[in-house]
mmCIF file of all heavy atoms in Angstrom:
data_model
loop_
_atom_site.group_PDB
_atom_site.id
_atom_site.type_symbol
_atom_site.label_atom_id
_atom_site.label_comp_id
_atom_site.label_asym_id
_atom_site.label_seq_id
_atom_site.Cartn_x
_atom_site.Cartn_y
_atom_site.Cartn_z
ATOM 1 N N LEU A 499 96.493 97.249 106.540
ATOM 2 C CA LEU A 499 96.790 96.505 107.763
ATOM 3 C C LEU A 499 97.587 95.293 107.374
ATOM 4 O O LEU A 499 97.061 94.416 106.539
ATOM 5 C CB LEU A 499 95.551 96.190 108.499
ATOM 6 C CG LEU A 499 95.748 95.125 109.613
ATOM 7 C CD1 LEU A 499 96.612 95.618 110.784
ATOM 8 C CD2 LEU A 499 94.342 94.626 110.013
ATOM 9 N N LEU A 500 98.752 95.134 107.917
ATOM 10 C CA LEU A 500 99.546 93.926 107.653
ATOM 11 C C LEU A 500 99.989 93.379 108.991
ATOM 12 O O LEU A 500 100.804 94.059 109.586
ATOM 13 C CB LEU A 500 100.746 94.184 106.764
ATOM 14 C CG LEU A 500 101.650 93.063 106.538
ATOM 15 C CD1 LEU A 500 100.921 91.767 105.858
ATOM 16 C CD2 LEU A 500 102.924 93.374 105.671
ATOM 17 N N ASN A 501 99.664 92.172 109.465
ATOM 18 C CA ASN A 501 99.971 91.488 110.571
ATOM 19 C C ASN A 501 100.657 90.221 110.352
ATOM 20 O O ASN A 501 100.023 89.234 110.090
ATOM 21 C CB ASN A 501 98.883 91.363 111.590
ATOM 22 C CG ASN A 501 99.308 91.072 112.948
ATOM 23 O OD1 ASN A 501 100.391 90.609 113.157
ATOM 24 N ND2 ASN A 501 98.425 91.243 113.973
ATOM 25 N N LEU A 502 102.003 90.169 110.454
ATOM 26 C CA LEU A 502 102.729 88.877 110.186
ATOM 27 C C LEU A 502 103.340 88.315 111.438
ATOM 28 O O LEU A 502 104.217 87.466 111.505
ATOM 29 C CB LEU A 502 103.724 89.056 109.098
ATOM 30 C CG LEU A 502 103.389 89.512 107.750
ATOM 31 C CD1 LEU A 502 104.498 89.589 106.886
ATOM 32 C CD2 LEU A 502 102.323 88.625 107.119
ATOM 33 N N SER A 503 103.022 88.988 112.666
ATOM 34 C CA SER A 503 103.730 88.872 113.893
ATOM 35 C C SER A 503 103.428 87.407 114.399
ATOM 36 O O SER A 503 102.560 86.642 114.028
ATOM 37 C CB SER A 503 103.308 89.753 114.874
ATOM 38 O OG SER A 503 101.785 89.561 115.213
ATOM 39 N N HIS A 504 104.431 86.926 115.227
ATOM 40 C CA HIS A 504 104.380 85.638 115.946
ATOM 41 C C HIS A 504 104.504 84.467 115.104
ATOM 42 O O HIS A 504 103.599 83.605 115.190
ATOM 43 C CB HIS A 504 103.238 85.706 116.941
ATOM 44 C CG HIS A 504 103.234 86.605 118.003
ATOM 45 N ND1 HIS A 504 103.978 86.395 119.115
ATOM 46 C CD2 HIS A 504 102.684 87.789 118.093
ATOM 47 C CE1 HIS A 504 103.748 87.468 119.921
ATOM 48 N NE2 HIS A 504 102.992 88.391 119.343
ATOM 49 N N ASN A 505 105.261 84.500 114.051
ATOM 50 C CA ASN A 505 105.555 83.453 113.085
ATOM 51 C C ASN A 505 107.020 83.189 113.166
ATOM 52 O O ASN A 505 107.767 83.576 114.121
ATOM 53 C CB ASN A 505 105.006 83.808 111.666
ATOM 54 C CG ASN A 505 103.643 83.621 111.568
ATOM 55 O OD1 ASN A 505 103.039 82.569 111.549
ATOM 56 N ND2 ASN A 505 103.022 84.657 111.367
ATOM 57 N N GLN A 506 107.528 82.532 112.156
ATOM 58 C CA GLN A 506 109.002 82.155 112.189
ATOM 59 C C GLN A 506 109.709 82.594 110.854
ATOM 60 O O GLN A 506 110.456 81.954 110.256
ATOM 61 C CB GLN A 506 109.255 80.692 112.358
ATOM 62 C CG GLN A 506 108.702 80.041 113.641
ATOM 63 C CD GLN A 506 108.697 78.725 113.862
ATOM 64 O OE1 GLN A 506 109.741 77.969 113.433
ATOM 65 N NE2 GLN A 506 107.615 78.056 114.232
ATOM 66 N N PHE A 507 109.261 83.845 110.401
ATOM 67 C CA PHE A 507 109.697 84.396 109.233
ATOM 68 C C PHE A 507 111.226 84.797 109.460
ATOM 69 O O PHE A 507 111.692 85.248 110.544
ATOM 70 C CB PHE A 507 108.957 85.658 108.793
ATOM 71 C CG PHE A 507 107.623 85.397 108.309
ATOM 72 C CD1 PHE A 507 106.456 85.899 108.936
ATOM 73 C CD2 PHE A 507 107.362 84.344 107.178
ATOM 74 C CE1 PHE A 507 105.126 85.604 108.498
ATOM 75 C CE2 PHE A 507 106.135 84.168 106.784
ATOM 76 C CZ PHE A 507 104.941 84.691 107.417
ATOM 77 N N VAL A 508 112.115 84.702 108.344
ATOM 78 C CA VAL A 508 113.317 85.000 108.322
ATOM 79 C C VAL A 508 113.652 85.950 107.240
ATOM 80 O O VAL A 508 112.862 86.300 106.359
ATOM 81 C CB VAL A 508 114.287 83.812 108.313
ATOM 82 C CG1 VAL A 508 114.037 82.835 109.483
ATOM 83 C CG2 VAL A 508 114.112 82.966 106.945
ATOM 84 N N GLY A 509 115.015 86.464 107.172
ATOM 85 C CA GLY A 509 115.349 87.357 106.128
ATOM 86 C C GLY A 509 115.203 88.786 106.469
ATOM 87 O O GLY A 509 114.883 89.148 107.498
ATOM 88 N N GLU A 510 115.497 89.589 105.438
ATOM 89 C CA GLU A 510 115.476 91.010 105.653
ATOM 90 C C GLU A 510 114.173 91.573 105.067
ATOM 91 O O GLU A 510 113.397 90.952 104.377
ATOM 92 C CB GLU A 510 116.580 91.833 104.879
ATOM 93 C CG GLU A 510 117.990 91.432 105.333
ATOM 94 C CD GLU A 510 119.085 92.375 104.742
ATOM 95 O OE1 GLU A 510 118.618 93.274 103.939
ATOM 96 O OE2 GLU A 510 120.165 92.018 104.903
ATOM 97 N N VAL A 511 113.671 92.686 105.689
ATOM 98 C CA VAL A 511 112.462 93.322 105.313
ATOM 99 C C VAL A 511 112.827 94.441 104.435
ATOM 100 O O VAL A 511 113.593 95.364 104.829
ATOM 101 C CB VAL A 511 111.646 93.848 106.563
ATOM 102 C CG1 VAL A 511 110.360 94.523 106.098
ATOM 103 C CG2 VAL A 511 111.372 92.708 107.480
ATOM 104 N N PRO A 512 112.185 94.511 103.159
ATOM 105 C CA PRO A 512 112.594 95.617 102.219
ATOM 106 C C PRO A 512 111.929 96.925 102.638
ATOM 107 O O PRO A 512 111.090 96.981 103.626
ATOM 108 C CB PRO A 512 112.082 95.028 100.857
ATOM 109 C CG PRO A 512 110.918 94.257 101.293
ATOM 110 C CD PRO A 512 111.298 93.497 102.593
ATOM 111 N N ILE A 513 112.162 97.928 101.817
ATOM 112 C CA ILE A 513 111.484 99.244 102.114
ATOM 113 C C ILE A 513 109.998 99.094 102.063
ATOM 114 O O ILE A 513 109.416 98.412 101.166
ATOM 115 C CB ILE A 513 111.858 100.260 101.045
ATOM 116 C CG1 ILE A 513 113.454 100.434 101.133
ATOM 117 C CG2 ILE A 513 111.094 101.473 101.172
ATOM 118 C CD1 ILE A 513 113.918 101.422 100.129
ATOM 119 N N ILE A 514 109.335 99.545 103.134
ATOM 120 C CA ILE A 514 107.954 99.517 103.224
ATOM 121 C C ILE A 514 107.250 100.631 102.501
ATOM 122 O O ILE A 514 107.201 101.826 102.950
ATOM 123 C CB ILE A 514 107.427 99.401 104.672
ATOM 124 C CG1 ILE A 514 107.990 98.187 105.355
ATOM 125 C CG2 ILE A 514 105.901 99.352 104.739
ATOM 126 C CD1 ILE A 514 107.731 98.011 106.881
ATOM 127 N N SER A 515 106.900 100.351 101.172
ATOM 128 C CA SER A 515 106.512 101.473 100.347
ATOM 129 C C SER A 515 104.833 101.325 100.192
ATOM 130 O O SER A 515 104.418 100.277 99.782
ATOM 131 C CB SER A 515 107.117 101.427 98.869
ATOM 132 O OG SER A 515 106.637 102.383 98.179
ATOM 133 N N THR A 516 104.266 102.414 100.381
ATOM 134 C CA THR A 516 102.788 102.395 100.256
ATOM 135 C C THR A 516 102.373 103.701 99.580
ATOM 136 O O THR A 516 103.072 104.556 99.278
ATOM 137 C CB THR A 516 102.062 102.405 101.682
ATOM 138 O OG1 THR A 516 102.448 103.717 102.313
ATOM 139 C CG2 THR A 516 102.382 101.278 102.518
#
Side-chain angles (χ1 to χ4, degrees):
L499 164 68
L500 176 61
N501 191 348
L502 304 181
S503 62
H504 297 278
N505 282 289
Q506 300 172 44
F507 291 121
V508 298
E510 296 189 4
V511 177
I513 295 175
I514 299 175
S515 178
T516 60

